[in-house]
């Protein structure tokens, strides 16, 4: 495996990735709710699982058509990294699908005797509940498992060491809240709101700029870490091309959470200053924005981009309750850090009530999930 960037270019990329890693770890980045309790991510991530299931066939095709298995000529271990893995079980299903597809590719080419061993790296923020992740690892797994803590906006692995990168429902999380939106003297101060989707153009531009910076860091880091011939597959929740940021694409949930917090501020349950200083670091990118980021970065070819079919939500709970429980699993860490855990129950009860009063909100969104396949360009 070779890596032949020029010395200057490589130093520039390493500096960018190191800078990203520095500010990412300084930021208040809180993972999904850990453990296996009723409000945990492990018990409230069926929507994400549905997207993974919908992507399985496309994932198999990407491996069958795009992965170069001769990259293992100097190694008999195939390295997989799942970025933003959280605590399971979804990451385990994804990894199993990847391994089965890689094994099938070897078998279909008559290379049964050359099927490699598999090493899987599970990555998430340092505060992720890795104990829960490791406790729930499948007993009959066909891979060696390791945890890699740290922000995926910086370097995580040695040069040219990973054969397959996977990330699902993670790249919508920015490395940090754009600093301009919490400064009182900034034109982008987001007073009384917790997201850009119902805010001013200045706030939207601050989020756009943070997203562009983060994607450049993400792609630079992966460009160094991926082996020649390796593949990166990303599942990204976002918005359709041409859809304005103010259009409901799932971000309406953040607007409602913000209005609930302002209601609580008016009642004196929380301070208005704390609400003004609280913003959610989530950005709904479009396929067009992802394409522009890849083209601007220059290190990857965009092999495939597909919008997944809408995920059906089967189960015993209502869609409204499902949305509330999933959002709580995602946001509880952020909210607790800012306001304390004593407000969480009241906040999400209020949010549920608002959703039940306006059920049409959930039907008007235009959120999409799109799958992206990238390959490192040859040097």
């Amino acid at each position: 495996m070779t890596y032949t960037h020029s010395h200057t270019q490589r130093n520039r990329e390493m500096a960018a990735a190191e800078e990203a890693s520095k500010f990412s770890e300084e930021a208040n980045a809180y993972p999904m709710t850990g453990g296996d309790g009723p409000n945990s991510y492990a018990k409230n991530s069926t929507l994400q699982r549905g997207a993974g299931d919908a992507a399985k066939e496309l994932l198999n095709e990407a491996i069958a058509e795009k992965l170069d298995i001769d990259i293992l000529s100097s190694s008999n271990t195939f390295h997989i990294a799942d970025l933003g893995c959280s605590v399971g079980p979804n990451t385990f299903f994804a990894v199993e699908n990847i391994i089965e597809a890689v094994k099938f590719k070897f078998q279909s080419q008559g290379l049964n005797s050359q099927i490699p061993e598999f090493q899987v790296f599970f990555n998430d923020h340092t505060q992720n509940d890795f104990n829960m992740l490791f406790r729930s690892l499948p007993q009959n797994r066909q891979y060696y498992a390791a945890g890699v803590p740290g922000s995926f906006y910086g370097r995580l692995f040695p040069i040219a060491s990973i054969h397959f990168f996977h990330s699902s429902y993670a790249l919508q999380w920015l490395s940090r809240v754009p600093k301009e939106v919490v400064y009182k003297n900034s034109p982008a101060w987001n007073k009384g709101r917790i997201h850009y989707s119902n805010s001013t153009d200045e706030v939207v531009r601050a989020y756009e700029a943070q997203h562009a910076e983060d994607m450049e860091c993400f792609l630079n880091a992966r460009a160094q870490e991926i082996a020649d011939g390796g593949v990166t597959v990303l599942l990204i929740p976002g918005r359709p091309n041409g859809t304005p940021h103010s259009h409901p694409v799932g971000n309406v949930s953040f607007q409602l959470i913000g209005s609930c917090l302002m209601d609580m501020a008016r009642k004196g349950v929380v301070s208005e200053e704390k609400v003004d200083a609280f913003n959610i670091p989530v950005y709904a990118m479009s396929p067009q924005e992802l394409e522009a980021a890849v083209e601007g970065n220059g290190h990857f070819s965009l092999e495939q981009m597909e919008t997944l079919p809408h995920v059906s939500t089967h189960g015993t709970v209502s869609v409204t309750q499902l949305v509330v429980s999933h959002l709580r699993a995602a946001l509880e860490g952020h909210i607790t850090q800012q306001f304390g855990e004593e407000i969480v129950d009241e906040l999400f009860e209020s949010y549920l009530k608002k959703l039940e009063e306006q059920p049409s909100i959930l039907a008007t969104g235009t959120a999409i999930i799109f799958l992206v396949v990238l390959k490192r360009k040859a040097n």
Side-chain angles (χ1 to χ4, degrees):
M1 295 180 287
T2 59
Y3 187 84
T4 57
H5 263 337
S6 73
H7 184 71
T8 304
Q9 177 69 10
R10 179 176 157 191
N11 284 350
R12 189 183 306 125
E13 290 170 5
M14 289 184 72
E18 285 166 8
E19 176 65 17
S21 182
K22 180 184 73 176
F23 69 61
S24 295
E25 291 308 313
E26 286 173 357
N28 290 331
Y30 297 96
M32 307 296 99
T33 302
D36 59 356
N39 297 315
S40 65
Y41 183 82
K43 294 282 177 65
N44 295 283
S45 54
T46 54
L47 293 175
Q48 294 89 329
R49 169 68 192 278
D53 289 344
K56 183 177 179 179
E57 188 175 332
L58 291 171
L59 182 77
N60 291 344
E61 288 176 6
I63 291 170
E65 297 171 10
K66 306 299 182 184
L67 181 69
D68 299 335
I69 58 175
D70 57 3
I71 59 178
L72 288 171
S73 56
S74 60
S75 168
N76 64 349
T77 305
F78 191 93
H79 296 136
I80 299 166
D82 190 36
L83 306 177
C85 65
S86 191
V87 295
N90 295 341
T91 186
F92 306 136
F93 293 124
V95 163
E96 195 66 30
N97 290 342
I98 293 164
I99 290 173
E100 287 300 327
V102 173
K103 287 171 63 178
F104 181 78
K105 177 150 190 171
F106 275 85
Q107 291 164 348
S108 65
Q109 296 187 17
L111 302 173
N112 291 53
S113 63
Q114 296 179 39
I115 292 174
E117 293 189 296
F118 293 92
Q119 170 82 64
V120 177
F121 299 101
F122 294 98
N123 157 258
D124 213 307
H125 283 294
T126 55
Q127 296 176 42
N128 184 57
D129 190 352
F130 283 102
N131 285 336
M132 173 64 189
L133 176 79
F134 294 139
R135 279 200 305 270
S136 54
L137 276 167
Q139 290 188 347
N140 60 343
R141 63 186 180 276
Q142 47 187 332
Y143 55 86
Y144 297 95
V148 178
S151 169
F152 53 54
Y153 290 117
R155 282 287 303 277
L156 295 166
F157 303 100
I159 285 176
S161 64
I162 302 297
H163 302 107
F164 194 95
F165 277 112
H166 177 266
S167 184
S168 177
Y169 267 83
L171 275 170
Q172 75 274 23
W173 289 97
L174 299 173
S175 66
R176 62 177 177 184
V177 171
K179 55 185 181 296
E180 305 95 319
V181 305
V182 294
Y183 290 163
K184 288 185 178 181
N185 297 327
S186 166
W189 186 32
N190 204 22
K191 179 175 172 55
R193 293 177 290 261
I194 66 170
H195 198 243
Y196 67 83
S197 54
N198 60 334
S199 195
T200 64
D201 290 345
E202 289 83 2
V203 172
V204 171
R205 282 195 291 271
Y207 269 83
E208 285 177 334
Q210 186 65 57
H211 168 257
E213 179 183 331
D214 284 350
M215 285 305 299
E216 177 68 6
C217 291
F218 178 86
L219 293 169
N220 275 342
R222 302 297 83 76
Q224 294 176 80
E225 296 165 348
I226 196 162
D228 290 340
V231 169
T232 297
V233 173
L234 310 172
L235 264 65
I236 304 171
R239 70 186 200 284
N241 289 331
T243 306
H245 287 291
S246 57
H247 202 277
V249 289
N251 294 331
V252 67
S253 295
F254 302 143
Q255 296 177 27
L256 282 184
I257 288 282
S259 72
C260 292
L261 284 168
M262 287 304 292
D263 290 345
M264 295 171 81
R266 282 187 282 273
K267 292 190 291 185
V269 177
V270 298
S271 75
E272 191 171 337
E273 290 75 17
K274 282 195 171 184
V275 179
D276 291 340
F278 179 69
N279 282 260
I280 296 174
V282 166
Y283 183 83
M285 75 177 89
S286 66
Q288 197 169 33
E289 283 177 300
L290 188 282
E291 189 173 2
V294 171
E295 186 176 335
N297 176 266
H299 295 312
F300 289 92
S301 60
L302 180 54
E303 300 288 321
Q304 187 176 357
M305 181 149 46
E306 302 277 350
T307 299
L308 299 180
H310 278 288
V311 179
S312 59
T313 52
H314 300 295
T316 56
V317 300
S318 69
V319 173
T320 306
Q321 183 61 61
L322 194 71
V323 168
V324 173
S325 60
H326 278 59
L327 196 68
R328 176 168 181 164
L331 295 182
E332 191 164 355
H334 289 267
I335 291 164
T336 299
Q337 174 64 21
Q338 180 72 353
F339 302 103
E341 61 183 26
E342 60 275 3
I343 77 148
V344 175
D345 287 343
E346 181 180 344
L347 174 62
F348 283 97
E349 285 166 8
S350 174
Y351 172 57
L352 174 60
K353 186 177 179 183
K354 286 190 184 239
L355 272 185
E356 288 176 339
E357 290 169 353
Q358 308 171 63
S360 60
I361 285 176
L362 295 177
T364 57
T366 56
I368 60 168
I369 310 296
F370 59 100
L371 177 140
V372 177
V373 180
L374 304 175
K375 283 198 76 170
R376 182 75 165 79
K377 288 182 178 177
N379 295 298

